[in-house]
Amino acid sequence: MTGTGGPHAGSEHLIVLPERTAADSLAEELREEGFEHVRVVAEAWRTKEGPERDQWAVYVLDTRLPDTSGGGAYEGLRDRFVDVARQHGGSYDQPGDARPPTD
């Protein structure tokens, strides 16, 4: 849960990518940058164009930012993840952020 003040409070990010190699690479890059809570999960996503297909989601919990109201630092991270998702033909979602997801 975002902003709960618990031991894992922080801002959550979900970068959904169509290729596992891209997801694994991004997760490794983020770990090298110091993000401690990063994991890759497989998801089956139903699209408007057709049946379910495998997608790979990189989940990031940034405990350095308290929640989605983290100001400029949060916005910068959000913008970065939106760009990364677009570069790989994926999408970005921000659990706990009241704004709509960015494709």
Side-chain angles (χ1 to χ4, degrees), residues 13-17 26 74-94 100-103:
H13 306 270
L14 192 65
I15 304 107
V16 181
L17 304 173
L26 175 60
Y74 173 80
E75 291 300 323
L77 195 54
R78 180 180 190 270
D79 290 347
R80 174 185 175 194
F81 290 157
V82 167
D83 288 342
V84 167
R86 285 182 179 155
Q87 289 171 8
H88 292 281
S91 61
Y92 171 74
D93 190 11
Q94 51 281 347
T102 306
D103 292 344

Side-chain angles (χ1 to χ4, degrees), residues 17-94:
L17 304 173
E19 300 294 329
R20 181 177 183 157
T21 54
D24 287 339
S25 177
L26 175 60
E28 181 61 28
E29 178 183 326
L30 293 172
R31 287 183 195 108
E32 288 174 2
E33 290 179 17
F35 289 90
E36 295 179 13
H37 305 282
V38 178
R39 69 178 186 254
V40 176
V41 292
E43 295 287 337
W45 296 81
R46 184 173 304 276
T47 65
K48 294 177 191 174
E49 294 80 31
E52 289 184 0
R53 60 186 176 123
D54 287 341
Q55 296 276 297
W56 302 92
V58 179
Y59 171 82
V60 180
L61 173 64
D62 187 1
T63 56
R64 300 170 297 182
L65 297 175
D67 55 32
T68 58
S69 63
Y74 173 80
E75 291 300 323
L77 195 54
R78 180 180 190 270
D79 290 347
R80 174 185 175 194
F81 290 157
V82 167
D83 288 342
V84 167
R86 285 182 179 155
Q87 289 171 8
H88 292 281
S91 61
Y92 171 74
D93 190 11
Q94 51 281 347

